[in-house]
Amino acid sequence: MTATEAAYAVDPEQGTLAKAADENFPVAPFFLPRAWRTDLMAVYGFARLVDDIGDGDLAPGGADARILGVPADRADDRPAMLDAFEEDLRRVFDGTPRHPLLRRLVPTVRRRSLTPEPFLGLIAANRQDQLVARYETYDDLLAYCELSANPVGRLVLAVTGTSTPERIRRSDEICTALQIVEHLQDVAEDLGRDRIYLPAEDMKRFHVRESDLAAPTANASVRALIAYEAARARDLLNEGAPLVGSVHGRLRLLLAGFVAGGRAALRAIAAAQHDVLPGPPRPGKVHLLREAGLVLRGEG
């Protein structure tokens, strides 16, 4: 066990929140009002933990299972952990939850009048990950993103008090795009978990076999497939980008950061000639800042 893992095992709450620094997009940057930062980090803690449960990436030692009341011999049982986590989520709205990350969420839920639905959607997405490892069509993948990604954007709008039907629609497009971009970056990692988020119908169209995704580097067919899916994600980002111009002040900066993160990641994928198999192509901070400037000016 590394020193980081040991610290995570002792304090899984802070270990989970610390992962915010590794995300493709800013979670709660310094320029936001303190109350927003507090609430966004509470939402992030929930979203990160439920993903870690679904992916089997919890802190070593079973601390989260003990907190949630799951027997030690079922600490690696992801469906059981998700069930226990959902029970604890419901305590956020009905009483006092057990897990510290959910206790952190209680004042946010009360202050922002949040409903259970987006949180339940994120849990449902991770349940689906235990049952569905392949997606036949692009529409199937979009339906998954409706659960796995779109609730996050809706929660950001709710926390900042800026939800409208049009903004929610634009936010869904951005969030789905960001989820697809993450899938493209993580093709090799996902395959290691026996998951493929590239639609099977598109793999057939580009003559890509699953064995091609296990290669050290991408062949021409895989690169063409990745380029095709990247173009779809770019189109979604462009459709959602007017969300940025519909708000003002520091929220506009935050939303620009989301769009910029997706666009910069897509540029990094293109710079790698769409070969994502050696590892996730990731943009540097300079590229992120450049993209953010373009988004704020309505360019790109």
Side-chain angles (χ1 to χ4, degrees), residues 31-33 36 157 160 162 167 242-256 296:
F31 56 77
L32 294 179
W36 283 9
L157 293 177
T160 57
T162 54
R167 284 177 179 148
L243 173 66
V244 177
S246 77
V247 299
H248 305 283
R250 287 177 278 188
L251 177 58
R252 189 164 180 244
L253 293 177
L254 176 68
L255 298 183
L296 288 168

Side-chain angles (χ1 to χ4, degrees), residues 137-288:
T137 69
Y138 183 61
D139 285 343
D140 292 338
L141 185 63
L142 293 181
Y144 170 72
C145 293
E146 181 70 24
L147 296 173
S148 67
N150 297 359
V152 175
R154 295 182 180 210
L155 284 166
V156 170
L157 293 177
V159 163
T160 57
T162 54
S163 297
T164 67
E166 176 66 9
R167 284 177 179 148
I168 288 171
R169 182 177 72 81
R170 299 287 189 184
S171 172
D172 286 352
E173 290 166 337
I174 292 170
C175 290
T176 290
L178 293 176
Q179 180 76 88
I180 292 172
V181 170
E182 185 176 343
H183 289 160
L184 296 180
Q185 290 176 307
D186 295 341
V187 168
E189 179 181 335
D190 290 334
L191 187 64
R193 302 179 191 272
D194 191 31
R195 297 178 189 165
I196 297 177
Y197 294 102
L198 300 168
E201 65 178 7
D202 295 342
M203 291 177 64
K204 292 173 187 174
R205 174 182 175 182
F206 286 90
H207 308 289
V208 172
R209 298 167 298 178
E210 290 194 11
S211 59
D212 295 328
L213 303 180
T217 59
N219 61 28
S221 294
V222 172
R223 291 174 194 242
L225 172 61
I226 297 300
Y228 177 73
E229 305 299 350
R232 280 176 151 172
R234 187 177 302 108
D235 288 345
L236 279 170
L237 275 176
N238 291 341
E239 286 293 320
L243 173 66
V244 177
S246 77
V247 299
H248 305 283
R250 287 177 278 188
L251 177 58
R252 189 164 180 244
L253 293 177
L254 176 68
L255 298 183
F258 293 159
V259 176
R263 287 181 174 172
L266 286 170
R267 291 191 190 278
I269 290 171
Q273 298 181 317
H274 299 99
D275 185 1
V276 297
L277 299 187
R282 300 200 184 279
K285 290 185 178 180
V286 172
H287 293 96
L288 283 169

